[in-house]
């Protein structure tokens, strides 16, 4: 694949995926059918959680998780400044406020120290802490959970990047440190559903609430109806929910992809090692993402830290020249606290770790369809573009 354009990420679809979707298309259920339940059961087993509740996308997963936990107006959710804006937006959908935590400038992750500072700013209103597993890598979940508990809050892991990652030898999403974990199955993620998401939890009541809210708050179980009419069409709306269901078409694709997760993990880790090796020959002005000790990540992204000022090149110029060489890159992410909506709401905030991380980050291509020599090719071109 070295002669073709390398995007920063893309899906890996094979004939087994196509056949899985075709089987649904030949059947009776395109939505609200058995493929959804089958995927939910398989994903829960894969991450070691009691429940997995799938939904339409990763943003919906975040919203559902917070809503199922009862987050409301008057509450505060702590969110790292380096993330996709959906992490913060989900809190606002519930009427809660957002306290932005600074991050380690070399990992982009919330730390126990930056969490403590954000909790202090929340002044006792923190209800949920949302650590983001940026690029697929976890921070100190045990320490973050302890700090959240002391503040009267719970952890909800934004694991949108982290399907296939492990923390202290256990799968991310198993609920050891959190009330829930949310996942995304967007095409560039490790598992693709086209669009899709899931929430995992070990709490039976939270799982029941998730299932209720993802389908308009409608209850169809006669045993749970407040009114017994005896009509087979009877249903009751018990909460104000949303149409966040995953279709059987998307669930079939995600389930097929899940069966290949071990191979995806192995391939992504091999490509990441190839990048790590290739980058060793470059000066310290270009470094890979710093790694945390307790996490064995299946990287969704491969961010590097580049001192663009020292190289005398702007990031946009580097990206343009790499694209001319057939290499796509992206920036993950602009600090969310600097988005106009959040600046208008909370004013300007000084989060130097997030600013430093953002100024240097650039995501290089990483997807399972890359050739063995593609990481070296990318690093060679990057060095050339930077004049190294």
């Amino acid at each position: 694949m070295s002669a073709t354009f390398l995007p920063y990420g893309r899906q890996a679809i094979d004939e087994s995926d196509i056949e899985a979707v075709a089987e649904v298309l030949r059947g009776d259920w395109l939505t609200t059918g058995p493929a959804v339940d089958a995927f939910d059961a398989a994903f829960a087993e894969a991450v070691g959680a009691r429940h997995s509740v799938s939904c339409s996308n990763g943003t919906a997963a975040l919203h559902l998780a917070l809503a199922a936990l009862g987050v409301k107006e008057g509450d505060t959710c702590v969110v790292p400044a380096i993330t996709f804006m959906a992490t913060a937006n989900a809190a606002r959908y519930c009427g809660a406020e957002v306290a932005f935590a600074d991050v380690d400038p070399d990992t982009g992750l919330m730390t126990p120290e930056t969490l403590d500072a954000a909790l202090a700013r929340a002044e006792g209103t923190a209800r949920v802490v949302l650590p983001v597993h940026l690029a697929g890598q976890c921070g100190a979940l045990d320490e973050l959970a302890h700090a959240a508990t002391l503040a009267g809050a719970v952890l909800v892991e934004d694991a949108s990047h982290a399907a296939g990652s492990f923390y202290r030898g256990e799968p991310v999403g198993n609920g050891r440190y959190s009330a829930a974990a949310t996942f995304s199955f967007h095409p560039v993620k490790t598992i693709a559903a086209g669009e899709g998401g899931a929430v995992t939890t070990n709490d039976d009541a939270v799982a029941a609430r998730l299932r209720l809210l993802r389908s308009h708050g409608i209850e169809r179980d006669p045993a749970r109806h407040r009114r017994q009419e005896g009509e087979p069409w009877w249903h009751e709306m018990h909460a104000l929910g949303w149409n966040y269901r995953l279709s059987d078409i998307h669930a079939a694709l995600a389930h097929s992809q899940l069966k290949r997760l071990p191979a995806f993990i192995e391939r992504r880790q091999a490509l990441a090692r190839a990048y790590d090796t290739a980058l060793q020959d470059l000066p310290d002005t270009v470094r890979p993402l710093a790694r945390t000790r307790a996490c064995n990540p299946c990287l969704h992204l491969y961010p590097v830290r580049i001192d663009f000022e020292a190289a005398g090149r702007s990031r946009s110029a580097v990206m343009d020249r790499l694209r001319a060489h057939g290499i796509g890159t992206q920036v993950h992410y602009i600090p969310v606290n600097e988005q106009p909506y959040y600046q208008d709401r909370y004013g300007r905030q000084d989060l130097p770790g997030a600013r430093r991380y953002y100024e240097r980050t650039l995501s290089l291509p990483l997807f399972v369809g890359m050739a063995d020599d593609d990481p070296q090719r990318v690093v060679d071109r990057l060095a050339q573009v930077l004049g190294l």
Side-chain angles (χ1 to χ4, degrees):
M1 189 166 182
S2 295
T4 63
F5 182 80
L6 293 174
Y8 84 87
R10 74 184 307 274
Q11 66 274 14
I13 302 298
D14 71 4
E15 290 301 318
S16 66
D17 299 322
I18 295 169
E19 179 56 32
V21 172
E23 185 176 348
V24 169
L25 294 174
R26 296 186 194 106
D28 295 327
W29 298 87
L30 297 187
T31 191
T32 65
V36 174
D37 290 341
F39 172 64
D40 282 348
F43 193 69
E45 182 178 4
V47 303
R50 186 177 301 161
H51 302 279
S52 175
V53 180
S54 59
C55 55
S56 52
N57 53 63
T59 302
L62 285 160
H63 186 195
L64 282 173
L66 297 185
L69 289 166
V71 172
K72 61 187 184 306
E73 187 175 352
D75 294 333
T76 298
C77 295
V78 180
V79 175
I82 297 296
T83 182
F84 185 58
M85 58 198 73
T87 317
N89 292 353
R92 296 294 302 129
Y93 297 158
C94 294
E97 301 300 333
V98 179
F100 288 106
D102 205 359
V103 301
D104 183 303
D106 295 323
T107 65
L109 299 173
M110 179 195 297
T111 68
E113 294 75 21
T114 63
L115 172 57
D116 285 342
L119 288 169
R121 293 196 300 275
E123 299 180 336
T125 64
R127 179 74 180 278
V128 173
V129 174
L130 289 132
V132 173
H133 305 332
L134 183 67
Q137 179 170 239
C138 308
L141 286 178
D142 46 355
E143 296 179 48
L144 296 175
H146 179 67
T149 299
L150 291 178
V154 297
L155 245 60
V156 172
E157 300 171 62
D158 184 341
S160 296
H161 293 186
S165 292
F166 286 75
Y167 182 73
R168 297 197 180 279
E170 299 181 337
V172 167
N174 72 350
R176 179 173 294 279
Y177 304 101
S178 62
T182 69
F183 292 85
S184 170
F185 309 124
H186 183 275
V188 297
K189 300 300 198 307
T190 302
I191 294 172
E195 283 284 3
V199 185
T200 60
T201 183
N202 292 328
D203 189 312
D204 296 347
V206 170
R209 186 75 174 168
L210 289 166
R211 294 186 180 102
L212 184 72
L213 293 175
R214 74 172 169 182
S215 190
H216 298 287
I218 292 174
E219 179 59 74
R220 297 184 183 276
D221 181 0
R224 295 176 59 84
H225 289 169
R226 295 180 182 178
R227 175 180 174 186
Q228 288 288 351
E229 292 289 340
E231 295 98 343
W233 62 85
W234 189 258
H235 60 272
E236 295 178 354
M237 179 179 147
H238 285 252
L240 184 61
W242 304 275
N243 183 0
Y244 280 172
R245 296 184 300 266
L246 188 70
S247 78
D248 282 55
I249 299 169
H250 294 90
L253 176 55
H255 195 173
S256 178
Q257 292 257 299
L258 182 60
K259 295 173 184 176
R260 296 158 63 203
L261 180 58
F264 289 166
I265 295 170
E266 182 179 1
R267 184 60 181 158
R268 284 179 174 272
Q269 290 182 337
L271 290 166
R273 287 193 299 270
Y275 268 124
D276 291 346
T277 299
L279 286 165
Q280 289 176 0
D281 295 331
L282 269 58
D284 287 344
T285 50
V286 182
R287 293 291 85 194
L289 183 73
R291 304 294 169 82
T292 57
R293 289 192 300 272
C295 182
N296 180 20
C298 171
L299 291 181
H300 150 57
L301 302 169
Y302 193 89
V304 290
R305 295 167 290 152
I306 302 174
D307 189 336
F308 293 100
E309 183 177 357
R313 308 283 196 278
S314 71
R315 180 162 47 191
S316 59
V318 170
M319 294 176 73
D320 287 345
R321 290 192 62 190
L322 286 173
R323 175 168 286 274
H325 288 296
I327 297 167
T329 56
Q330 189 52 274
V331 175
H332 299 93
Y333 294 98
I334 301 169
V336 184
N337 62 292
E338 297 183 10
Q339 293 293 343
Y341 172 87
Y342 287 107
Q343 282 198 349
D344 290 345
R345 190 166 190 86
Y346 302 123
R348 293 185 177 274
Q349 300 177 55
D350 182 24
L351 300 176
R355 169 49 51 178
R356 180 62 176 154
Y357 181 86
Y358 166 66
E359 288 173 345
R360 296 178 295 163
T361 193
L362 186 68
S363 295
L364 304 181
L366 182 65
F367 54 93
V368 299
M370 291 173 63
D372 291 346
D373 61 350
D374 279 333
Q376 186 66 59
R377 168 196 164 195
V378 171
V379 171
D380 288 345
R381 287 298 189 185
L382 177 62
Q384 178 185 349
V385 166
L386 290 171
L388 300 176

